[in-house]
Amino acid sequence: MSIDLTRRRFLIGSSVAATGLLTGCDALVQSTTVNDILQRAESLTMGAQRLLMGHQPLAREFSEADLSPVFKPNGTSEPGSEEYAQLRETNFADWKLIVNGMVQRPLELSLADLKAMPSRTQITRHDCVEGWSAIGKWTGVPLGLVLEKAGLAPGARYAVFYCADELEQTLDGSGKYYESIDLVDAWHPQTILAYAMNGKELEVAHGAPLRLRVERQLGYKHAKYVMRIELTDNFKGIWGGKGGFWEDRGYEWYAGI
């Protein structure tokens, strides 16, 4: 685990230890009581961070001299679907970002449309839950500008990102990668839809043609191969109902660092 996880793991570990339930990993994972404690610890972490960072401070940014010589891809390196392969063959000329759900003006935006919008470039550190970190330079359109263009319907609370990569073969589609963030993070100035990395077009291994960068959260929140953004007020009916591929499998929804 990255050192940035220390504070959050301390909160979780302290809560679990206080219950006297540290009797074995399998028992902990299967325990409803412990799962409830973990969820309360996650809420505590989220509340504390939001309280301390209520004025939307920026994640640390670096200089080009700090760029990592090697930046490993996180997650999959290439979606295996025929649809994605066809889009890649035309250099994503036929790709469209769909923005729908609780919006006033559903959108279909090409890569050229996104590049014509105001952009932001930032050099930030990517912290992977697997324990590695790397610094990269990202360029893209601030997510908030896209949401403003769509216009949010009253009651919208979350942006859900549906991706092209499929990690598990499932009949209901739940094996496809997806992620979500709330509107606080969606409007953070460093939350961008990136189409370039280190001054070049985004490579397939890093999420081409478009990936989310939400710099105050761990790497699994940075959805790659984004195809659609849905605005919603809850996660009910969206696959496992937890707000993300890994969250449906036990990860925390709020991965703030």
Side-chain angles (χ1 to χ4, degrees):
M1 293 295 179
S2 166
I3 192 170
D4 289 311
L5 289 173
T6 302
R7 175 177 58 84
R8 298 194 314 119
R9 295 308 179 199
F10 173 77
L11 288 172
I12 294 172
S14 298
S15 299
V16 173
T19 66
L21 292 173
L22 295 177
T23 57
C25 293
D26 291 340
L28 285 173
V29 169
Q30 296 171 9
S31 168
T32 301
T33 302
V34 171
N35 285 332
D36 289 343
I37 291 170
L38 293 176
Q39 290 176 6
R40 288 198 297 270
E42 178 184 355
S43 297
L44 177 61
T45 299
M46 178 177 175
Q49 187 178 53
R50 288 285 167 80
L51 179 63
L52 294 171
M53 298 185 174
H55 300 294
Q56 295 284 57
L58 302 181
R60 181 182 176 187
E61 296 193 12
F62 299 81
S63 71
E64 294 205 6
D66 298 312
L67 290 174
S68 297
V70 176
F71 196 121
K72 296 195 303 182
N74 65 304
T76 55
S77 295
E78 181 176 3
S81 70
E82 182 177 342
E83 177 188 10
Y84 184 85
Q86 292 174 348
L87 291 170
R88 185 181 178 185
E89 283 181 5
T90 62
N91 198 27
F92 304 105
D94 300 323
W95 172 90
K96 299 277 189 180
L97 172 67
I98 297 170
V99 183
N100 60 13
M102 297 180 68
V103 297
Q104 298 172 356
R105 297 175 294 276
L107 303 175
E108 289 191 13
L109 301 171
S110 68
L111 203 52
D113 292 333
L114 292 169
K115 290 180 178 180
M117 297 177 68
S119 67
R120 177 183 172 88
T121 296
Q122 57 202 32
I123 300 177
T124 53
R125 189 180 68 195
H126 180 100
D127 291 306
C128 183
V129 72
E130 295 175 346
W132 58 269
S133 298
I135 294 173
K137 179 181 178 180
W138 307 95
T139 300
V141 56
L143 175 59
L145 294 183
V146 175
L147 299 185
E148 287 176 8
K149 191 177 184 70
L152 299 190
R157 295 181 59 194
Y158 305 102
V160 182
F161 302 83
Y162 297 92
C163 306
D165 46 336
E166 188 169 11
L167 276 70
E168 297 175 0
Q169 297 290 328
T170 60
L171 294 176
D172 64 354
S174 62
K176 281 195 172 182
Y177 203 86
Y178 80 105
E179 255 305 340
S180 63
I181 58 175
D182 66 15
L183 296 185
V184 174
D185 278 319
W187 254 278
H188 188 273
Q190 288 174 313
T191 299
I192 65 173
L193 298 173
Y195 45 73
M197 177 184 179
N198 293 344
K200 300 178 181 178
E201 292 290 316
L202 198 61
E203 296 178 357
V204 169
H206 290 291
L210 197 73
R211 73 172 296 165
L212 174 68
R213 293 300 306 177
V214 53
E215 302 297 353
R216 298 190 304 177
Q217 299 217 32
L218 289 169
Y220 65 88
K221 301 294 290 189
H222 300 228
K224 295 162 57 174
Y225 316 112
V226 176
M227 304 292 285
R228 178 166 70 95
I229 303 173
E230 178 187 9
L231 279 297
T232 184
D233 59 354
N234 66 76
F235 303 133
K236 293 179 181 178
I238 304 178
W239 293 320
K242 302 295 185 181
F245 176 88
W246 288 115
E247 289 87 332
D248 289 342
R249 291 154 179 81
Y251 278 46
E252 297 174 1
W253 176 78
Y254 188 71
I257 51 177

